[in-house]
Amino acid sequence: MSHRAYYSGVAVDCTRELFRITALEACGRRIVLGCSDGLIRVFEDRSQPNGKVDYKPTSVSEVFTKKMIDHLEVFPLQGVMLSLSDQTVRFHSFPSLETRGAFEKSRGACLSFVSNHSAEKKGDSELLFCIALKRRVQMFQWNARDFTFSPIKELSLNETPRKMAFAGAYTLCCAFKRDYKMLDTKTGKVTPIFPLGRKGPSLICRMESSNEVLLAKNQQGICVDHEGKPTRTEPLDWPEVPNALVFSRPYVLSTSTTNVDVRNVENRSPVQNIPLKNATMLASTYLGERMIVAASPVMVVQLTPVSPLDQVEELVAKSNFEAALQLIEEDLDSKWVQTRSEHRLKVKTQYAYHLYNNREFQSSLHLFQETKVDPRQVLALFPKIIPKGQCRKIEHPVEHIVPIEESGDVIIKATAALIPYLEHLRNRFLMDPRYKTSGRRRASRSLLLKGKGEGGGEGG
């Protein structure tokens, strides 16, 4: 694994309880559990800053069904929650959990329901909600005045959707019995994507910030756009068939029989494994930073993001500079965006020194050139090539520097890489009017001729 992206801690332990967890949702500092006894339980975060994860039960719903809760979704801005149990979709006040009623004609909603709700959305007007019924999809829109969802459309289909997720403003990605398809809710057009895998459940993960949908097929994850077209050349590969997915940029988290797997969706590399046996559920919430909760039938684990700076520093300490630079470019939080340039410069400079120590002089000098490091700091790395007395008493921002041997292939390689860098410096200085009347012009020319002479002498 490359580094730690999340801290983990047990939030709810139900191993001694008579019920089992069958549905999971997260909202702010609350974890909402649908249970096998037909009740909905809410736990609130009472953890102290930098302390142990500590959730306390705060409310339990009244008895409204004798069957287990199959699915939950909370809309905090509207103060409403939806539940699926006993093939019926009901709506409740939140966080009071008072049952306000059931959707008419929703009897038989035994497969799924979905909304276009996003933590990035601010208003109520575009909140849509869909219920999958036998060979049809019912659509509703939130009506804040009446505190309910108003029916707006019913779409007839040739088969019944088993899972759904919004892929665009009015496009549903659906998993049917044999394949994934896109459903245009305006026109009713159905577009096939690709067949389902033979292993594991059909999984649809909405990737909000990149306008993509991640579809699971056996042990692979394939990203598509709202038209069902692939958006990436290579799929994600998991060691086991996942049974739940959630996206928290730039990571995709999946659950399996032994752990929660964290992978970078951009480079597809494994990042972290978090132990949790028989985990089958994932949910996410925004708290300024995005928190993830994972659950098995008897336990809920909270996954709190490690700060971007700590992640980058760990990657740099492990000499994983490419991953660190990639992480820097992600919009992880507002403060990170403000300091991105500073961190990018620091990591690229450290990367340049790392390449120098590994004798990759051309790549190293290219990075030094890109970061506009003080030329004297760079030239001091080549004491056997530059004229004597140049660039003395230079301090470097790294602890260890591997010196260049006085003779052999290494010094030839170093000289060949240094010449283009010196030419770049000369051209850069020539564009500066102050340089033309200074002695640095003659010094730069002398240094360039010295470098070419060293390269030619060794090469002969």
Side-chain angles (χ1 to χ4, degrees), residues 208-221:
E208 294 169 1
S209 56
S210 59
N211 295 317
E212 296 173 286
V213 176
L214 177 64
L215 305 177
K217 183 176 182 179
N218 299 323
Q219 291 175 238
Q220 291 188 328

Side-chain angles (χ1 to χ4, degrees), residues 33 58 80 118 172 175 195 225 230-231 242 258 261-262 283 290 368 424 452:
L33 303 181
T58 56
V80 65
S118 164
L172 283 173
D225 61 16
T231 56
T258 57
D261 179 275
V262 183
R290 190 164 189 173
F368 279 129
H424 162 75
K452 288 184 174 180

Side-chain angles (χ1 to χ4, degrees), residues 131-158:
I131 301 176
L133 300 168
K134 187 174 182 179
R135 295 183 180 178
R136 66 187 194 276
V137 171
Q138 289 182 346
M139 296 188 65
F140 301 83
Q141 187 171 28
W142 173 247
N143 186 331
R145 178 178 297 178
D146 298 330
F147 197 79
T148 189
F149 286 90
S150 303
I152 57 174
K153 183 181 288 188
E154 181 170 299
L155 299 170
S156 297
L157 303 171
N158 293 329

Side-chain angles (χ1 to χ4, degrees), residues 290-310:
R290 190 164 189 173
M291 182 188 73
I292 307 293
V293 287
S296 70
V298 296
M299 187 174 294
V300 181
V301 172
Q302 174 182 293
L303 308 178
T304 306
V306 176
S307 73
L309 180 58
D310 288 346

Side-chain angles (χ1 to χ4, degrees), residues 191-210:
T191 305
I193 305 175
F194 53 74
L196 300 179
R198 295 182 179 181
K199 301 177 183 178
S202 54
L203 298 176
I204 305 172
C205 177
R206 182 182 178 190
M207 298 167 60
E208 294 169 1
S209 56
S210 59

